[in-house]
Every structure is written in structure tokens, then in C-alpha cells.
Amino acid sequence: MADATFQVFRGDAKRGDLVTYKVPITEGMVVLDGIHYIQGHLDGTLACRWNCKAAKCGSCSAEVNGRPRLMCKTRVDEFGDLPITVRPIKVFPVIKDLVTDVSWNYKVNREIPPFTPSPDDPGPWKMYPEDVERLFEFRKCIECFLCQDVCHVLREHEGQSRYMGPRFMVRIAALEMHPKDTRSRTDLLKGAGGIGFCNVTKCCEEVCPEHIHITDNAIIPLKERMADDFFDPWRALLRLFGSKKEPRGT
Amino acid sequence: MADWYDTVEHDVLVIGAGGAGLRAAIAAAESGCSVGLVCKSLLGKAHTVMAEGGIAAALGNVDPKDDWRVHFADTMRGGQMISDYRMVEFFAKEAPERVYELERWGGLFDRTPDGKILQRPFGAHTYRRLCHVGDRTGLEMIRTLQDKAVHSAVQVHMEITLTRLLKDAERIAGAFGYRREDGRYVLFRAKAVILATGGWGKVYKVTSNSWECTGDGCAMAYEAGAELMDMEMVQFHPTGMVWPPGVRGILVTEAVRGEGGILRNANGERFMERYDQKKMELSSRDVVARSIYKEVQAGRGSPHGGAFLDISQRGAEFIKKKLPSMYEQFLKLADIDITKSPMEVAPTIHYVMGGVRVEAGAGASTVPGLYAAGEVAAGLHGANRLGGNSLSDLLVFGKRTGEHAAAYAKGLVATPRVDDRQAGEERALLQRPFEGGGKENPFAIHEALQEVMGTYAGIARTGDQLARGLEKILELQKRSGDLHAPGSMLFNPGWHACRDVRFMLTLCEAIFRSAFERKESRGAHWRLDFPDPDSTWAARNLIVRRSDGGMQVSVRPVPQVPAELAQLVQPRA
Ligand SMILES: Cc1cc2nc3c(=O)[nH]c(=O)nc-3n(C[C@H](O)[C@H](O)[C@H](O)COP(=O)(O)OP(=O)(O)OC[C@H]3O[C@@H](n4cnc5c(N)ncnc54)[C@H](O)[C@@H]3O)c2cc1C
Ligand code: SF4
Ligand code: SF4
Ligand code: FES
């Protein structure tokens, strides 16, 4: 059986290096299988996160040959005879090996005002397919944070104190465009959310394993909504008296 | 208190942040208790995130004739009359409200043209009953609950593994474990503990389960003196991926059959005609899994030992809309375009019906202060769980258990005492793989136990086989005393695997002992030496309990269904 060469980052936030392992190739094997092989047969101390092995949980994010990917969705045969380099995602501090400290994301999530329906409207609700289907795209997010990893704003010095990042623009878009939500989050976008820092380079969109059109369908419409609320008093007034949430641009 | 561990205090401690744990934590917090929620992974990654097909609840949105009575009857029949009817009744009645509640918390489902929640057909459900969103219902559910929980008074402790329940005399006093990140020990003091730790599909090799499904909660409950029930009932989902080897076991959702997928053997025959002419592919899981198995045994299997499942006739557009993850999964992992070619599938371990025995409405175990909800609890699904019934189980009993545990916690006058010695003992056990001269690799033991389970406690069982399998598990238990882990306590998977393996070996023993005892075939439990159901066994649950350090199996009568409910379950003409 042929072997694949894995070069895996081993170490912590302070120091670390690539370590080379030979892993037997099996048909249809993915990078995560290689990591598991190393754990089971070569070195049980190799740390990584995973849960589903089916691209559903977003735990196994890493940089494979320099590209942010899900390890469970990246086939080994894609690389031919090349060595496969696996490093932790860069934007968050390394805890150990492939495991990074993503707790910042959980803090950010708590700052976003939750879904807030009208208390006078307990349901069961009527919502038509066309009301909800455009939101499904955002709800597909598996929180792999690969988009956060490539966003140059977050990679910048102090970027994380200015901008919540693409994942949370997707989250806010899902709330803002929900037909039953009654709360406006445009002040958040302008303030702590920092949507103004995004200059729509679309790097985030390129790496999203769920193929979410993060910029076109979430960020740009949110930017427009914010501009309306802050700079177009007529639109803002209309929104105040009419239905606040009429989504546009999607 | 000793300084070698951190101490955290809550009224109610919930172990597990899947659907059941999240729903329980929300309920306990709403009752006014301080609540801690602990999980082994990051929040939102629990096994529940993988659920695909839907949540079963008799809303009657597409089939107006559906109501709780029909759901009750379907579930009782599915469970082959060893379910606790009282649980099934709560479940069928309350599931619709739990789904609407999820929607009020921001969850979004596929809709009917007139604006209601859409429902799809699933195996052995009389009507179209599964509320769903494409094939990622679990993600929608967990995200909705997660967002609800983080904006309530629930305190979340991520990436902590708890390994022992602490007791004050007979009652629960908390739990003890370690932080995965740095190995630091943590002791939780609590008045009530809710186990929501999910199942133990990882004791088998071909499994749809995530790494977390090692049955820690069930094993901890057993070690703390709680009763387990129906441990022989392990569900084989008929359709897991079989090829390539790296993906073996990954689930092919039942929604594929729900949306019209057809099963064929190597000769192209639609073989379900042989086994269940009426329901065909939508027969219950035990029946379909056995049918595939029989086809393979008869030499009519697919090239990699399974069957073909074909949905291509529904057309590319329909498939990509209704089954987007399945489409991606096969394209990416198996190089197969399911809009054009059939999938190759075979039975895979998927779910455990057995678990901690709990009181019907309250989720209380036999240990005061210890509760269980979700897959770790037994009683609702009996001998076979119907698809979609797990997600509604998590919601209905998550809520009930959370409320009851909170009420119990509030009723306690004094906080239970925690005895440092129990924590000390557990630490000694956890440290052992680093010390001493152990030689056993935990990953190798895990593989070995999976091998034993697959060979001796698989889809078809005999008494001889089960007896031999049990012997092998007992040998592995001995070997597991010699586990070894190199490295430090910092995020060390090899070390973590040591405790997991010991938990799993306990549950393997329980599965073998119970399966040996149940001398009949019923639901998921198929004995070749007793091929038929035996009506006397229909009145019996099997209980596993620790006594004098050994494992004991005993029989307990199934709660008798009152006449007015029994009549709902009568076979239809
Ligand atoms: C691929 C797939 C598809 C499915 N589809 C459906 C479906 O369509 N409909 C349906 O009804 N059911 C479905 N199921 C079944 C259903 O998803 C599970 O039965 C259900 O999610 C179990 O939920 P739970 O809350 O009991 O536990 P889990 O979701 O398994 O959560 C367990 C939690 O306990 C924690 N935990 C475990 N041990 C410890 C410990 N020692 N210390 C601390 N924390 C611990 C874990 O970290 C995790 O947070 C599916 C299952 C799979 C695998
Ligand atoms: S488009 Fe915006 S969010 Fe996306 S990577 Fe660029 S700056 Fe970041
Ligand atoms: S938006 Fe896409 S890339 Fe970003 S976290 Fe969600 S799934 Fe991952
Ligand atoms: S393991 Fe879940 S996304 Fe890779």
C-alpha cells in the first residue's frame, strides 16, 4: 500500500514545528482519516477537534496546504504525491497542535441581540416558503469559522475589537431578515459590529464550505440597510411605521 | 476544599449539550435555578447537530387526520410493546407544542404552500409527520436551542469531560472531571444532576455516531448505582454509506426513502416487496435493516456487501433542494452523483434504545437527584425507535426533566455534602495511564472492542455467540487495567481515550448480558436461535444493576397499557 506524507503542526502558542508522518493511503480517504491514523498508531497525543466526519459540525477546520478547509471534506487523493501540510487556523491562538482557542466567537455571539418576535403574536405562525427560503442559506452555517480565519480585518492588529467578522454578519442577517423578528440591529452593525470595516473582498465567501454567499447575500444587504437607517431618514421613517424588516437586496 | 481542582457550584448541573441537555438547561433556568451546562466539545457541535431527516410531531399540517393518538399508536407498535406507555403518551401529546416553541425561538422549517410547517413521510409513521428543514434539521434545532440558552441564565462550560458522579450518602452531590484543554480537574457541586450525554454507538465500528458517543453518562449512572434498562436494544439504521472504506457507516438519511428512494439488490429487484409489501421502503428500521442483511446473506448484495438505494428518478432539481447534504456528501466523499446513480448502502449502528431507567414524566433515575433525558434515557422507544422520534424526545423530555430536576433542587433544604475522597479516587484512576508500567494502547483496545461487538453482538445474534462475545469483553476489561498514555495532561486524546474505553467496556458488558437473557426476537434484537417474538417477553424489560461489584440482570414487568390506550394500538384491518 502506498503511503501519504503528512506534515502536521505540533506545538502550542509559544513554539511548534511541522512533524512528518507516513500514513497508509486507503481509497477515498480524507485528511481527517490521516490525522486519526496518526493518533491511533503513531502518536496518541496529537490534538485535533472533530465530531461528525460528515461536514456538518464545523469542528475540524484547519489549513491544509495553506488553504482553510474542513479536514473531513478534504480528500487525500486531491494532492497526488505532494506532502500534505496541516496547520491550525491562523486567526485564533493555538492551544495545542491543531486546536485553537475560538472562545472569542462565543463572546461575540452573546453580544448580538437574540431573535425577538412580538409578544402579541404567539403562533403557530403562517410563513410562506418565499418568506423563509432565503434565510435557509444563512441558517446553513456550521460555525467552522473558516471565514473568520481568512477575513483580513480580523487578522489585523486589533481587528477583533473592531469587527465581528463574516460569520456574525451571516448570523445578524438571518435575524434581521426573519419575517417575525421585531428588533433592529443596525446600530450594532454600525457600532461594535463594525460592518464598515469590511471592504467586500469576498475572501470569506471563497472558503465557506456551506457555499454561503456571505458578502453578496448577507453583508451587502446589511450595509444597505444600515445606510438607509442612518443616512436616509425617509426610508428609516417608513421602516418605523411600516414593517421594519422588509428585506431588500436578497 | 482541596486546591488540586477547581470548584463550581450550581443548583442544577446538566451534563451534555445536545438537544436534550440544552432543552433541559433552558427549562431549569426558567424555573429560577442556577444552571451549569457541561459538554465535551464546543457548544453547538454535539451529535444532535448531525440529525437530518426531521422532528416527528403530529401537527397534522399535511395530513389533517394525524393526531397524538396515531403518533402514540405508531410509536408503541414501533417499540413492540416494551415501551413505557406513559412516556409515549406524554411524548405524542406534547411534541407539537415543543416544535411550535422551537419556531417561536427562531427555528425555521420548510413550509407548505399555505404557510404552515411542512411535514415529510418517514418509516412506520402512518402519516407525513416529520417537521424538517432540508436534510439539516439537527443543525437548525441545536442552533435555535443554543441561542436561546446563551441568552438565558445558563452558564456553559465547554470542553470539559466529567467522569464520575459524586454522592452524599444515597443522593447526588455533583460530578467530577477534567478540562480537556489543560487537564485541570474540576468539581461541580449541585443539588440535582441531569444526564443528557447521548448514546454509545462508538462501541461499534460501522457507526453513524460522533466521537462523543461513548456512553459516559450511562456508565457513570451505572457506577453510581442507577438502573439501566433494555440495553440489548441497539438500532441498526438500514442505510449507512459502505464505500469507500473511509466513509463506512456515515448515515444516509431515511429522508432519502421518505422522499421516494427505492432499494434494489444486485439483480435489480425491488426486494422490499418480499419483506413488507405494504410499506416497502418505508417499513420500520429493524425490518428494512434485516431485509438488506438477508439479501446480502442470500448472495444478492451489492459489490461492497450492501444494497442499492436509488433516488435519481426524482430528478436533479428536486434532489438538490430536498437532500442537499446527501447530494454533497456522496459527490465529495464517494465520487457519486446521486441525481444520476444509485447509492450503495448497508446497515450501520445508529441509535441505542436502552439506557438509564427513568420515571415516566419526570426523568428521575433510581438515584435521588439524578435525572436523565434524551438518548441516554430508556423507556420511550422500546425495541425500535422510529425515525424522527428522537428529536421530539429530546425536546419533550428535555423540558420535563429540566423542570423536575429544578423542582427537586429547590425542595432540598441542605445542599448535599461533597466528600473529597470520591474525587481523590477518581483522580487516581484518571492518572493511572501516566503512571505505572501499563502497556495497552487505548485506541487499540477501542478497535478490539468494536471488533468484538460487530462479530458477536451484530444484527443477527445467537446465545453461543453472545456468551463468547461476553468472555472477550471481560478479557478486554482486564487488559484495560493496564492502559498507558504518553505525554502530558494538555489536550491529550490518547489519555482521554483511556477513560472512554473503560466506560464503553462497561456498556458492552451490559449489552451482552441483556442480549443473552432476552431469548426471543423483538425489534432490533434478532436471535437466530429464537427467531420469533415470544409474547411472554413482551411484558418484560431487562434491568441491569451493579450489585456487590458485579453486574446483575433482572426482569421487570412492562407497565401495563390501560384499555383505552391499548385499543388505539390494535392492528388495523
Ligand atoms: C447522522 C444522524 C442523523 C440523525 N437523524 C435524526 C433525525 O432525522 N431525526 C431524529 O429524531 N433523530 C435523528 N438522529 C438521532 C439523534 O440525532 C440523536 O439520537 C440525538 O441527537 C441525541 O441527542 P442527545 O441530546 O441525547 O445527545 P447528544 O446530541 O449525543 O449530546 C450528548 C452531549 O453530551 C456531552 N457529553 C457526553 N459525555 C460527556 C461527559 N463525560 N462529560 C461531559 N459531557 C459529555 C457531549 O459533549 C454532548 O454535548 C440522527 C443521528 C445521526 C447520527
Ligand atoms: S468580504 Fe468583508 S468579511 Fe469577507 S473577508 Fe473581506 S473584509 Fe472580511
Ligand atoms: S459562514 Fe461559512 S465559513 Fe463562515 S462559519 Fe459559517 S459555514 Fe463556516
Ligand atoms: S468533523 Fe464535523 S465538519 Fe469535519
Side-chain angles (χ1 to χ4, degrees), chain B residues 278-445:
Chain B
K278 226 167 116 223
K279 296 193 226 122
M280 303 286 272
E281 280 80 7
L282 288 181
S283 187
S284 61
R285 287 179 176 176
D286 50 345
V287 173
V288 182
R290 278 209 292 268
S291 307
I292 295 176
Y293 180 86
K294 285 178 186 160
E295 289 297 307
V296 175
Q297 294 290 305
R300 297 187 291 266
S302 66
H304 303 102
F308 295 107
L309 174 62
D310 197 355
I311 181 98
S312 61
Q313 83 283 358
R314 299 298 312 253
E317 199 189 331
F318 176 88
I319 294 167
K320 286 184 194 167
K321 174 147 189 254
K322 286 290 184 185
L323 303 161
S325 341
M326 280 301 108
Y327 171 73
E328 277 254 357
Q329 182 173 315
F330 272 89
L331 198 62
K332 195 75 201 168
L333 300 175
D335 301 321
I336 284 173
D337 180 349
I338 64 167
T339 66
K340 299 199 179 89
S341 339
M343 308 160 230
E344 212 185 327
V345 296
T348 179
I349 292 293
H350 185 55
Y351 187 86
V352 290
M353 275 74 74
V356 179
R357 187 173 83 76
V358 294
E359 206 181 291
S365 76
T366 40
V367 175
L370 181 63
Y371 294 76
E375 193 170 341
V376 67
L380 175 63
H381 307 291
N384 175 44
R385 170 178 74 85
L386 300 190
N389 269 4
S390 169
L391 293 185
S392 26
D393 168 10
L394 309 182
L395 294 172
V396 168
F397 292 102
K399 175 170 191 283
R400 285 189 155 269
T401 304
E403 286 168 354
H404 281 87
Y408 168 88
K410 284 188 188 164
L412 283 194
V413 187
T415 305
R417 274 179 328 108
V418 169
D419 172 357
D420 261 355
R421 261 180 322 186
Q422 292 173 37
E425 269 171 35
E426 181 62 18
R427 172 173 70 165
L429 186 69
L430 287 167
Q431 282 310 147
R432 213 151 78 195
F434 289 126
E435 296 150 2
K439 288 178 293 298
E440 301 284 357
N441 175 346
F443 296 104
I445 301 251

Side-chain angles (χ1 to χ4, degrees), chain A residues 32 36 49-61 69-73 142 144 209-210, chain B residues 45 49-50 210-211:
Chain A
L32 186 61
H36 285 162
R49 287 196 182 103
W50 73 285
N51 276 58
C52 67
K53 204 173 173 288
K56 293 197 177 108
C57 73
S59 305
C60 65
S61 310
R69 309 278 291 265
L70 295 177
M71 290 192 281
C72 68
K73 211 184 171 187
I142 55 175
C144 63
E210 288 294 315
Chain B
K45 311 293 186 191
V49 83
M50 299 163 71
S210 83
W211 72 271

